[in-house]
Amino acid sequence: MRISELMEPVTALIDEAADLAADGKVNESVEKYRAALTELDRIEMENPDRAKSMEFATLRNKRAYVNAAIDSMLLGQVK
């Protein structure tokens, strides 16, 4: 299965999280982003040989994006 197909559930969760964040629903958004991280972990665990390849660079980039989004929202709540 292609990485783009594997990433479809992650992309859907990220889109939902972004929509929730835009609506000011930070806690719900963070939950969706964390669900996306869990899905990324699952994909990596199910594809250990491919996970370190360049093919999975998209996955690593999504993980960085999601972590940054969570950090940004949580910092925003503190301020």
Side-chain angles (χ1 to χ4, degrees):
M1 186 178 287
R2 295 173 41 159
I3 186 70
S4 60
E5 294 168 341
L6 292 172
M7 295 288 289
E8 285 176 2
V10 174
T11 301
L13 287 166
I14 290 171
D15 289 345
E16 289 176 43
D19 290 343
L20 288 165
D23 291 340
K25 299 176 180 176
V26 174
N27 292 332
E28 294 93 335
S29 178
V30 169
E31 286 178 28
K32 289 289 182 182
Y33 278 128
R34 287 187 175 146
L37 288 174
T38 300
E39 186 66 15
L40 290 169
D41 290 341
R42 184 193 63 77
I43 293 168
E44 283 185 322
M45 287 177 18
E46 291 178 359
N47 299 279
D49 295 336
R50 295 168 66 189
K52 294 185 183 351
S53 71
M54 282 300 295
E55 173 190 27
F56 269 55
T58 301
L59 186 141
R60 292 185 292 275
N61 288 339
K62 289 276 187 188
R63 182 182 307 282
Y65 168 79
V66 169
N67 281 318
I70 291 170
D71 290 348
S72 175
M73 284 189 290
L74 294 178
L75 280 171
Q77 274 189 324
V78 172
K79 291 181 181 183

